[in-house]
Amino acid sequence: QVQLVESGGGLVQAGGSLRLSCVASGRTFSSYAMGWFRQAPGKEREFVATISRSTQITDYADSVKGRFTISRDNAKNTVYLQMNALKPEDTAVYYCARAWGGGAPKTEAGFGSWGQGTQVTVSS
């Protein structure tokens, strides 16, 4: 069972930046696509970004395109989410997830392992 541990969340003013990290246990990190999701209070969890195992494919939710960048370092078993130009509506718990395979899925069904989440709060 893989363990995913997120870090990097916090409180930031609107317009600021944060970088989230997610470290995965095990030796098969490079075989799987990775993704980020978020859940705001009172809302369902939603897709944010995904990256294929080879980094050749990335995709984003329309709400974060041009502001967020997903990347990965397979040598460090780590996936990142660089978040720039943050808005109050980006406030949520952000979850890292490992896909079932190597593609770049965009739905929760495509991911089989989840981290515990890290809180991001953007003040206006």
Side-chain angles (χ1 to χ4, degrees), residues 8-108:
L11 174 64
V12 64
Q13 289 187 331
S17 298
L18 283 174
R19 188 176 81 154
L20 305 183
S21 300
C22 171
V23 179
S25 64
R27 300 180 178 181
T28 60
F29 178 77
S30 62
S31 298
Y32 298 92
M34 299 294 294
W36 287 95
F37 288 73
R38 67 186 182 186
Q39 187 169 21
K43 296 187 177 181
E44 294 186 351
R45 190 157 57 183
E46 65 176 3
F47 166 77
V48 175
T50 185
I51 185 167
S52 63
R53 63 181 180 179
S54 66
T55 76
Q56 289 182 345
I57 300 171
T58 59
D59 206 351
Y60 300 89
D62 288 343
S63 59
V64 307
K65 278 182 181 177
R67 300 188 298 122
F68 291 11
T69 302
I70 188 171
S71 62
R72 65 190 294 164
D73 185 338
N74 287 340
K76 295 182 178 180
N77 279 19
T78 303
V79 62
Y80 303 97
L81 185 68
Q82 177 67 44
M83 306 186 294
N84 298 329
L86 283 161
K87 305 175 181 179
E89 50 264 45
D90 294 319
T91 295
V93 177
Y94 283 71
Y95 297 91
C96 168
R98 191 185 78 170
W100 292 108
K106 297 173 62 176
T107 65
E108 288 193 42

